[in-house]
Amino acid sequence: MKAINLIEEIDRVDTYKRFGRVKQVIGTMIEAKGPASSIGDICYIYARDFHYHKGKKIIGEVVGFKEDTVIIMPYTSVKEIAPGWLVENTRESLQIKVGNALIGKVLNSLGEPMDGSTLPNMPHFSTDQEPPNPLNRPPIRESLELGIRAIDGLLTIGKGQRIGIFAGSGVGKSTLLGMIARNTKADLNVIALIGERGREVREFIERDLGEEGLKKSIIVAATSDQPALMRIKGAYTATAIAEYFRKKGLNVMLMMDSVTRFALAQREVGLAVGEPPATKGYTPSVFSMLPKLLERTGTDKYGTITGIYTVLVDGDDLNEPITDTVRGILDGHIVLDRKLANKGQYPAINVLKSVSRLMNEIVSKQHRIQAEKIRDLLHTYNQSEDLINIGAYKKGTSKEIDRAIEYHPKITDFLKQNTDEKITMNQTIQSLNELLKGDSR
């Protein structure tokens, strides 16, 4: 063991042990008499019939208080816990091991490999970090190539930008994330799968991400069957891993699927500890935790974290509370449209409903003008689409509509991309030039 690691371990040792006893279990919450605690402290719960060093250990976290009672939520099931069990407070927040050995691994929310392997000795890193000081955030001036023609060409994002992918279920969010993970020019991918079905985790790794994508990725998975606290911690653990590698000077791509399920997990915890339901059943803590989590990404003086967050739009309603809140926090949004997916356009990106707030600052003037022309053509076509489809529009009535009809098949071909197709930024720019060749406007 390196000397610095040994010193860190010695510093982490607490010579005092703080104990309490389980009083009762209500739902997913454990109420304990003592020990002295703070919100976020990690506790160990031991069977009362065993010495605390030898008995079965269940890990939980302090989530609230009720008079002199400590409310703890476990990271696992509560079915084995009984009154009288011993509760030990570690006086620490959740710590995970971080280092290059994590690359290519699939981890749970506690930072442990899900294949049962062991990690070597590495530094410990708290999952609860503060966002960078706003004055220490360098401006975003450089674009990041994602390898998706529709995004790189019309919705260009920068290194350190945070953007949301908004879509209903089954419109292609996971497939698009897999394409980005394989094609991006970022140094490292950190992918958080929050609240996914257990079946979908392996499918995403093997089908969407692939061997090529896994080689430069770290995956944190918290499936839907796990306690709400594990789903919440999955988001924090993935963000902490990305922050560690940002401090190493890397350009990290953090992808989270999905923020909606993170919010649902926090609502579950909030209701359990007695918070009142506020907007459409969501508790106030949901709306305070979202900006704290999402603001941790971005740029700092060492490196960048480009955040891509999927948002499951309930009933395709882009104005429901979580969708509206996340859209206001992030630096842009990409909307996947079910109508386009039904027409066979993949990825089903609705360019007119999507925006990258930093695109104009990170692309050339010519690129910006070309993107604006394509948006104008799409807008003109969509405004007259019903008339065109029923044959009510007569050619020559409007030069603008005639141009839109002429260019529409070319634009649709530009927006389509096969899942195994990798397109560089230079190829995207060249495609834009060819698409608008001869356009005198």
Side-chain angles (χ1 to χ4, degrees):
M1 182 182 287
K2 294 181 180 179
I4 187 169
N5 289 342
L6 184 58
I7 293 171
E8 286 180 3
E9 290 297 325
I10 293 172
D11 288 341
R12 282 166 48 82
V13 172
D14 188 354
T15 56
Y16 292 93
K17 299 292 183 181
R18 301 163 181 84
F19 296 102
R21 292 281 184 183
V22 173
K23 287 174 58 179
Q24 61 180 347
V25 177
I26 301 176
T28 58
M29 295 296 175
I30 301 166
E31 294 187 2
K33 181 69 174 178
S37 305
S38 301
I39 295 290
D41 284 353
I42 297 298
C43 292
Y44 297 141
I45 303 165
Y46 302 94
R48 62 176 177 176
D49 295 331
F50 296 91
H51 189 275
Y52 69 89
H53 282 308
K54 300 176 182 178
K56 182 171 182 178
K57 182 168 66 176
I58 295 172
I59 304 176
E61 182 176 317
V62 177
V63 295
F65 305 96
K66 188 186 296 181
E67 297 178 353
D68 59 347
T69 300
V70 180
I71 302 175
I72 302 167
M73 178 171 272
Y75 288 129
T76 56
S77 172
V78 297
K79 64 182 181 181
E80 296 178 336
I81 299 172
W85 280 30
L86 200 64
V87 179
E88 177 190 352
N89 189 340
T90 65
R91 302 292 289 177
E92 290 183 342
S93 60
L94 181 63
Q95 306 274 334
I96 58 171
K97 287 184 176 182
V98 285
N100 291 335
L102 297 181
I103 299 174
K105 295 281 189 182
V106 182
L107 311 174
N108 64 17
S109 298
L110 305 181
E112 302 164 340
M114 294 184 70
D115 60 4
S117 61
T118 57
L119 295 173
N121 288 323
M122 294 186 293
H124 284 83
F125 199 71
S126 173
T127 60
D128 293 323
Q129 301 287 334
E130 291 296 321
N133 187 320
L135 299 182
N136 292 335
R137 288 183 182 267
I140 298 170
R141 293 287 182 264
E142 188 177 352
S143 65
L144 177 64
E145 180 181 313
L146 299 189
I148 310 297
R149 187 164 48 207
I151 299 176
D152 289 342
L154 306 179
L155 301 163
T156 315
I157 71 170
K159 293 180 180 178
Q161 186 172 346
R162 301 160 305 148
I163 201 158
I165 298 177
F166 296 78
S169 57
V171 188
K173 298 187 301 300
S174 297
T175 302
L176 181 58
L177 284 183
M179 291 175 67
I180 293 171
R182 293 194 304 272
N183 299 345
T184 181
K185 291 294 185 180
D187 298 323
L188 176 69
N189 300 318
V190 180
I191 304 171
L193 303 177
I194 309 300
E196 290 286 330
R197 303 174 187 91
R199 168 184 62 82
E200 291 178 334
V201 173
R202 184 165 180 175
E203 283 185 2
F204 174 82
I205 295 169
E206 296 181 354
R207 183 190 63 195
D208 298 326
L209 186 60
E211 185 178 349
E212 179 185 357
L214 186 60
K215 286 180 181 177
K216 60 173 185 177
S217 301
I218 301 169
I219 298 175
V220 179
T223 52
S224 59
D225 61 297
Q226 293 181 341
L229 199 57
M230 285 290 273
R231 284 174 268 146
I232 294 169
K233 285 300 171 183
Y236 281 95
T237 295
T239 304
I241 292 171
E243 287 170 319
Y244 169 81
F245 284 101
R246 178 176 62 185
K247 285 187 175 180
K248 296 293 183 182
L250 271 61
N251 294 312
V252 183
M253 172 73 74
L254 173 64
M255 290 179 274
M256 188 176 297
D257 185 16
S258 67
V259 173
T260 306
R261 294 191 177 110
F262 167 83
L264 289 171
Q266 178 56 35
R267 178 177 72 175
E268 189 177 325
V269 173
L271 291 172
V273 298
E275 279 192 83
T279 309
K280 288 194 175 180
Y282 288 99
T283 57
S285 62
V286 173
F287 300 101
S288 65
M289 287 183 73
L290 280 172
K292 289 178 182 177
L293 174 68
L294 301 180
E295 284 290 345
R296 286 169 60 178
T297 55
T299 61
D300 72 0
K301 59 185 178 181
Y302 303 106
T304 67
I305 300 175
T306 304
I308 297 183
Y309 301 92
T310 69
V311 181
L312 187 61
V313 181
D314 186 18
D316 294 335
D317 178 14
L318 290 172
N319 294 315
E320 62 93 25
I322 299 303
T323 302
D324 197 44
T325 301
V326 173
R327 188 170 54 222
I329 297 169
L330 299 179
D331 307 316
H333 53 273
I334 297 170
V335 177
L336 302 186
D337 196 319
R338 194 177 300 277
K339 291 181 180 178
L340 295 177
N342 291 339
K343 291 179 181 179
Q345 179 180 317
Y346 288 99
I349 297 173
N350 188 321
V351 174
L352 296 179
K353 291 183 179 179
S354 306
V355 65
S356 171
R357 294 177 182 170
L358 297 175
M359 178 176 175
N360 292 344
E361 301 174 26
I362 58 177
V363 299
S364 66
K365 182 179 179 181
Q366 181 185 7
H367 186 169
R368 176 171 52 81
I369 292 172
Q370 289 175 329
E372 288 173 354
K373 284 184 177 181
I374 290 177
R375 281 179 172 272
D376 286 343
L377 289 167
L378 278 173
H379 176 72
T380 302
Y381 184 89
N382 284 1
Q383 290 288 95
S384 309
E385 186 172 15
D386 291 340
L387 292 175
I388 296 167
N389 289 339
I390 65 175
Y393 175 75
K394 291 183 180 180
K395 187 176 180 180
T397 305
S398 167
K399 289 184 179 180
E400 292 296 316
I401 297 177
D402 288 344
R403 287 179 66 253
I405 294 173
E406 177 190 351
Y407 277 97
H408 192 260
K410 299 177 184 178
I411 294 173
T412 301
D413 288 340
F414 175 84
L415 296 176
K416 287 182 179 179
Q417 185 172 335
N418 293 328
T419 55
D420 57 351
E421 190 178 3
K422 185 174 183 178
I423 299 172
T424 65
M425 181 67 84
N426 289 335
Q427 290 173 326
T428 296
I429 300 298
Q430 185 178 351
S431 296
L432 281 173
N433 293 331
E434 292 174 356
L435 194 159
L436 296 171
K437 185 181 290 185
D439 181 61
S440 56
R441 228 192 96 201

